[in-house]
Amino acid sequence: MDREQLCAEMPACSFSFDVILENPMELFRVTVEVLDINDNSPVFPKRDIELEISELAVPGARFSIESAVDQDVGENALQKYILNPTDHFNLNIQGRIDDSKHIEMVLQKPLDREKTKHHYLTLTAVDGGDPQRSGTVQIHIVVLDVNDNAPAFSQATYKAVVPENAAKGTLITTVSATDADEGSSVIIEYYFEHATKSIQELFTIDPISGEVRVVGDIDYEKNKQFQIKVKAKDHGGLTDSCGIVIDVIDINDNIPKITVMSFYSALPEDSVPGTIIAMINIQDLDSAENTKITCSIHNNLPFKMESSLSNYYNLVTESVLDREQTAEYNITITAVDGGSPPLSSKKTLSLKISDVNDHSPQFQQESYDAYVFENNVPSRSFFSVRATDADRGPNARVSYFLEDGSLNGAPLSAYLTVNSDSGVLYAVKPFDYEQIKSFKINVKAQDGGSPPLSGNVTINIFIKDQNDNVPQVLYPVQTSSSLVAEMVPRSADVGYLVTKVVAVDVDSGQNAWLSYKLQKASDRALFEVGLQNGEIRTIRQVTDKDAVKQKLTVIVEDNGQPSRSATVNVNVVVADSFPEVFSEFTDFTVDREYDNNLTFYLVLALAVVSVLFIFSIIAIVTVKIYRWRQNRLFYKSAANLPVIPFYPPVYPDGTLGTLQRVYNYEQNPPNIDWRLNQQVQRPGPSGTYRYSTSTQQRWTPYGKARAGPHPAGAGGVVAGTGPWPTPPTEAEQIQALMAAANEVSEATATLDPRYNAQFPMQHVPDYRQNVYIPGSTATLTANPQQMMPQQALQGPPQAMPKVDVPNAAQTPASKKKSTKKDKK
């Protein structure tokens, strides 16, 4: 520290500063006094002083000398002067109006220019420090001729005032001195005596007129008063001195200076009112009324300014803060002084409100509706919820949880899961609309505060139906064990309600809208099905020509995308009485409708059947080979043994025999060549032979004959039941074959006459044709007497004569059969 720089000429030097303690905030003012040390020597303004003194100067004449300057104070300041030599002059030190030491040399004895024209003196200034410091100046005295009157100022001290904002060139005051001499001695010059550098920069004096003017910028805050010494000198070397005291008038040219001593840049939102946010110091370098400060902030803010010590203010909270409403405040502090016009300054503080976990997560709605299709893919998202938290940072980080609950006896976690970060809902497994149509869950949103806050929301989950069920037919019931048929009287009119197909679909919505269509029908022109109600009605009058048995296939389709369908078979009998219905009812066949879901089982069954078929082929081939080897062994032992074929008789009443009631009347033309090519058809012991009809006959070898029914009127053992004791002759074999053929012809003759009329006898197979006797070269023809074993093979074939079969008497059974044939 440099006391001279801090306080200049002030004897007491001190400065103050303030200390603020935080937590809690306290203010202390510290005053520091700077003590002087002897670190400056006395210094004269000039190194050399030249004085011109007239030789007529009388003893006692005084001559002013510029005093030395010592910046130290107290004991370290200038204490005494020493003049050497002192044969003509002595020092006279007396107080001046500025309380500074004034040096004057006093003439002790007259000067004689003729003896000594120049005198050289040394003036030493000594301070009182330890060690002492000193400064010297050389004084050159020039002895002049006679000038016996010195200039004299009109005032010893001139006083003036100047505003600190005075413009350059402003006249402050004018000094004036007079001289009683005449001639050149009365010309007086004015100049500053002992003027400091600051004075020379701010003021100037005119050497002729004595006007003092402003040449620099005066600042009240730096210098409030100036003391200037002015000296007047005539041409004879005589001088006089005076003082000028200039007072500076303060102008309000300094704005208040705002200094933030302490500040909390972040404040919790739960701070109580009266919490100190900042401590502020405001200084104004002006004086008097210009330094009276008024400090304020905007009225709409929840803060206020409170004054503590002088020029100190505290910024405190006035009400409760809420970060969610206002997260940051820009507080502008305004300081206004009392000048005219007043000056002001502003400072803006940016205050952030730190978050406190005082808000729970909130959902946008109280409840949500979510939809998910049944048969959904597991682990796929179908809905999401989102909650917002007005807090920030960890207090606003929301996590989602599925609250505990159960559905159909199982925990909700077995059906659903929620992503804790995003709130996305996932299905754990597929839903089935037919089992679960809707249910509710509660999702909790919890923030990351301490303690955490949470909010709940209800989600209504609706399972949307898919068309995954086929329609189910309730009526008519389709079973394989029983047969149901609807009876329509032949007198039924148009629109007669035959029956109604009733079906349901366990799906919902349009997936359960059913429509009915007639897929197949024995007579499409007779029946129709209602598209919406499934009613089967007649669309025309029933006639006698309509078949008794009618079979309808109705398809039931839903309205899904894609649609699913089911079929139902409806058996209808057109009859007027139950007996007639019962006689026809036994011939119905029941179709089975397989579910599409049985496709897997059908494929499996097909594979099993294929494997069984392969094994069957292998078994048949093995048996064939085995039988072939047995036949070879048999022919070696029983060669040329004849076998008599057995033809089961057909009786008119249908009680005996193996001939079916329904005949296949598609017959190939008769074989013109009655001979059999042995290379093409080689008979075997167990071979099967197919003729032009669908009837098959089996040749039975000896030892393997099977018993069959007895022909009408036949007695004893049937031919073919065992081996004959002795082989019959060819004539006996031919006779037996002809007898069997005649029985067949007689049975055919007993059929309905209308049958004979529609199908003439030439189309009826004659079982007496093309009969081959194993072990013989003869071929049985219509006339046994014309058969020759060898000639029959070589001669041309003989045409079989036409046989006239008389009409047999009609039986009740034949009447019923003919009636049905006519209807068909």
Side-chain angles (χ1 to χ4, degrees):
M1 293 180 295
D2 189 355
R3 190 203 65 81
E4 290 74 25
Q5 184 177 0
L6 291 175
C7 302
E9 300 175 359
M10 296 177 61
C13 180
S14 64
F15 61 90
S16 300
F17 59 90
D18 300 319
V19 176
I20 295 177
L21 301 182
E22 295 184 352
N23 294 326
M25 285 189 180
E26 296 183 10
L27 177 64
F28 296 94
R29 178 163 294 172
V30 179
T31 301
V32 178
E33 182 179 359
V34 181
L35 301 179
D36 182 53
I37 62 174
N38 190 23
D39 57 346
N40 293 281
S41 300
V43 178
F44 288 94
K46 297 179 180 179
R47 296 181 61 183
D48 297 318
I49 299 176
E50 183 176 316
L51 296 177
E52 295 179 353
I53 301 175
S54 173
E55 63 179 341
L56 295 179
V58 297
R62 297 173 301 171
F63 303 93
S64 178
I65 302 298
E66 292 181 278
S67 62
V69 176
D70 193 337
Q71 295 182 358
D72 295 327
V73 296
E75 294 295 332
N76 298 324
L78 183 63
Q79 297 295 325
K80 62 181 179 178
Y81 292 92
I82 300 174
L83 183 63
N84 188 27
T86 60
D87 50 354
H88 287 84
F89 295 92
N90 284 329
L91 293 178
N92 182 22
I93 301 174
Q94 60 181 3
R96 301 290 292 180
I97 58 174
D98 56 358
D99 293 333
S100 63
K101 304 292 180 63
H102 182 71
I103 304 172
E104 291 182 342
M105 289 192 310
V106 179
L107 183 63
Q108 297 295 326
K109 60 181 180 179
L111 297 176
D112 188 358
R113 178 179 177 278
E114 287 70 25
K115 290 182 178 181
T116 305
K117 187 177 180 180
H118 301 278
H119 297 271
Y120 296 93
L121 305 176
T122 300
L123 179 63
T124 302
V126 182
D127 60 18
D130 185 15
Q132 289 184 338
R133 291 176 176 271
S134 61
T136 60
V137 63
Q138 299 296 325
I139 302 174
H140 179 207
I141 297 176
V142 178
V143 180
L144 300 178
D145 267 339
V146 177
N147 183 14
D148 53 356
N149 290 295
F153 284 99
S154 59
Q155 298 179 15
T157 302
Y158 292 85
K159 292 185 177 180
V161 295
V162 58
E164 62 175 329
N165 61 349
K168 293 179 181 181
T170 301
L171 177 63
I172 298 175
T173 185
T174 303
V175 297
S176 175
T178 61
D179 195 333
D181 294 331
E182 293 181 356
S184 60
S185 299
V186 298
I187 301 174
I188 301 173
E189 294 182 356
Y190 303 94
Y191 56 90
F192 292 145
E193 183 182 9
H194 306 301
T196 62
K197 183 178 180 181
S198 60
I199 292 177
Q200 294 177 1
E201 291 176 351
L202 295 176
F203 307 99
T204 185
I205 186 171
D206 189 278
I208 303 301
S209 62
E211 293 179 348
V212 178
R213 295 181 179 272
V214 177
V215 295
D217 296 328
I218 302 174
D219 189 357
Y220 173 84
E221 289 69 35
K222 293 182 179 180
N223 301 102
K224 298 177 175 54
Q225 187 183 69
F226 295 95
Q227 293 181 0
I228 307 174
K229 297 177 181 180
V230 179
K231 188 174 184 179
K233 179 182 178 182
D234 59 14
H235 282 191
L238 300 177
T239 61
D240 192 12
S241 298
C242 72
I244 301 175
V245 178
I246 302 175
D247 293 324
V248 180
I249 300 175
D250 181 42
I251 301 297
N252 191 24
D253 57 348
N254 290 280
I255 62 175
K257 182 180 180 182
I258 301 175
T259 303
V260 178
M261 310 300 295
S262 180
F263 174 58
Y264 289 115
S265 59
L267 188 68
E269 61 176 325
D270 59 348
S271 299
V272 298
T275 302
I276 297 178
I277 302 172
M279 184 175 290
I280 300 169
N281 174 258
I282 302 176
Q283 295 289 341
D284 195 326
L285 299 178
D286 296 324
S287 62
E289 294 295 328
N290 298 333
T291 60
K292 293 182 178 181
I293 305 299
T294 301
C295 185
S296 63
I297 60 173
H298 199 278
N299 294 331
N300 295 332
L301 297 178
F303 309 102
K304 64 180 180 179
M305 298 296 298
E306 292 182 350
S307 177
S308 57
L309 298 177
S310 176
N311 299 329
Y312 280 90
Y313 299 87
N314 293 332
L315 177 63
V316 299
T317 58
E318 189 176 20
S319 60
V320 178
L321 304 177
D322 188 357
R323 190 205 64 83
E324 286 69 35
Q325 292 184 359
T326 307
E328 184 176 357
Y329 291 94
N330 290 323
I331 306 172
T332 301
I333 301 173
T334 303
V336 181
D337 61 18
S340 181
L343 298 179
S344 64
S345 62
K346 295 182 179 181
K347 189 170 186 65
T348 301
L349 302 179
S350 180
L351 176 64
K352 294 183 179 180
I353 307 301
S354 59
D355 183 57
V356 175
N357 191 26
D358 56 350
H359 289 81
S360 61
Q362 298 292 329
F363 291 92
Q364 296 179 355
Q365 301 175 202
E366 294 183 356
S367 63
Y368 294 89
D369 294 336
Y371 299 89
V372 57
F373 281 99
E374 64 173 334
N375 305 319
N376 55 293
V377 178
S379 301
R380 177 172 292 181
S381 63
F382 65 91
F383 193 71
S384 64
V385 293
R386 181 174 178 83
T388 57
D389 196 318
D391 296 323
R392 64 181 300 176
N395 298 330
R397 185 171 60 248
V398 180
S399 300
Y400 302 90
F401 303 94
L402 186 65
E403 292 192 344
D404 296 335
S406 61
L407 180 63
N408 292 342
L412 287 175
S413 58
Y415 294 88
L416 299 171
T417 183
V418 61
N419 188 298
S420 60
D421 295 328
S422 62
V424 177
L425 290 173
Y426 297 89
V428 175
K429 62 182 181 180
F431 292 101
D432 188 358
Y433 174 81
E434 286 70 36
Q435 294 183 0
I436 303 174
K437 292 180 172 56
S438 64
F439 60 95
K440 294 182 179 180
I441 63 172
N442 290 327
V443 175
K444 180 175 73 172
Q446 180 175 296
D447 60 22
S450 178
L453 301 178
S454 62
N456 297 335
V457 68
T458 300
I459 302 178
N460 302 310
I461 299 178
F462 299 93
I463 310 301
K464 299 184 70 175
D465 180 54
Q466 282 190 332
N467 194 23
D468 57 345
N469 292 279
V470 298
Q472 299 178 3
V473 179
L474 302 180
Y475 184 84
V477 180
Q478 302 290 298
T479 61
S480 59
S481 60
S482 62
L483 184 63
V484 178
E486 306 291 340
M487 186 176 68
V488 177
R490 295 187 179 276
S491 60
D493 294 333
V494 177
Y496 177 82
L497 177 62
V498 178
T499 185
K500 182 176 181 179
V501 177
V502 180
V504 295
D505 196 324
V506 295
D507 294 326
S508 66
Q510 65 177 4
N511 296 329
W513 297 349
L514 301 181
S515 60
Y516 304 84
K517 297 179 183 178
L518 187 61
Q519 186 180 30
K520 292 189 299 183
S522 301
D523 188 356
R524 284 187 173 271
L526 183 57
F527 302 100
E528 67 175 358
V529 179
L531 181 63
Q532 304 297 333
N533 54 22
E535 295 179 350
I536 301 177
R537 296 181 180 271
T538 59
I539 57 177
R540 63 173 177 81
Q541 184 71 38
V542 179
T543 64
D544 294 339
K545 295 182 180 181
D546 293 328
V548 176
K549 295 184 294 183
Q550 298 285 339
K551 183 177 181 181
L552 308 178
T553 301
V554 178
I555 182 171
V556 183
E557 292 183 345
D558 57 25
N559 198 34
Q561 294 294 332
S563 63
R564 293 178 176 267
S565 62
T567 57
V568 57
N569 294 323
V570 180
N571 298 315
V572 180
V573 175
V574 181
D576 293 326
S577 62
F578 180 79
E580 184 178 359
V581 173
F582 183 75
S583 63
E584 295 291 341
F585 187 70
T586 57
D587 291 338
F588 272 123
T589 59
V590 180
D591 294 339
R592 298 179 180 177
E593 181 71 20
Y594 293 96
D595 195 346
N596 292 332
N597 295 331
L598 298 179
T599 303
F600 172 75
Y601 300 100
L602 294 177
V603 173
L604 181 61
L606 180 60
V608 174
V609 170
S610 301
V611 173
L612 294 178
F613 175 75
I614 294 173
F615 281 106
S616 299
I617 294 298
I618 296 174
I620 292 173
V621 171
T622 305
V623 172
K624 288 292 185 181
I625 296 175
Y626 174 76
R627 287 183 178 181
W628 177 74
R629 294 185 64 186
Q630 294 294 328
N631 289 338
R632 288 181 62 85
L633 295 175
F634 172 77
Y635 274 112
K636 291 181 181 180
S637 60
N640 298 328
L641 292 180
V643 178
I644 300 176
F646 171 73
Y647 300 93
V650 180
Y651 302 99
D653 56 357
T655 58
L656 297 176
T658 60
L659 187 63
Q660 300 179 0
R661 293 188 179 185
V662 181
Y663 298 90
N664 184 4
Y665 299 108
E666 296 181 5
Q667 180 180 358
N668 296 329
N671 188 5
I672 300 176
D673 190 358
W674 293 356
R675 296 168 295 178
L676 298 177
N677 190 348
Q678 296 181 2
Q679 298 178 354
V680 177
Q681 293 183 346
R682 182 173 181 175
S686 61
T688 301
Y689 297 85
R690 184 180 299 275
Y691 297 96
S692 60
T693 67
S694 62
T695 305
Q696 295 183 354
Q697 302 299 328
R698 182 179 180 86
W699 296 99
T700 306
Y702 296 104
K704 298 183 181 179
R706 296 174 297 173
H710 291 265
V717 180
V718 179
T721 61
W724 291 342
T726 58
T729 62
E730 282 190 12
E732 290 174 346
Q733 295 180 21
I734 294 174
Q735 186 176 2
L737 293 175
M738 292 299 298
N742 288 331
E743 288 179 359
V744 176
S745 299
E746 290 176 0
T748 306
T750 62
L751 296 176
D752 196 325
R754 288 173 293 180
Y755 174 82
N756 295 330
Q758 186 176 1
F759 302 98
M761 288 302 295
Q762 62 267 22
H763 297 290
V764 178
D766 192 348
Y767 292 94
R768 295 171 293 180
Q769 298 181 10
N770 299 334
V771 179
Y772 173 72
I773 301 175
S776 175
T777 59
T779 302
L780 181 62
T781 60
N783 189 1
Q785 299 177 357
Q786 296 179 358
M787 291 183 184
M788 297 301 292
Q790 298 296 333
Q791 295 177 358
L793 297 173
Q794 298 176 1
Q798 298 295 328
M800 187 174 182
K802 183 176 182 181
V803 180
D804 295 330
V805 180
N807 295 331
Q810 295 182 356
T811 64
S814 64
K815 289 181 180 181
K816 183 177 180 180
K817 197 71 175 182
S818 63
T819 303
K820 295 178 181 179
K821 299 294 183 179
D822 292 342
K823 290 180 180 180
K824 290 181 180 179

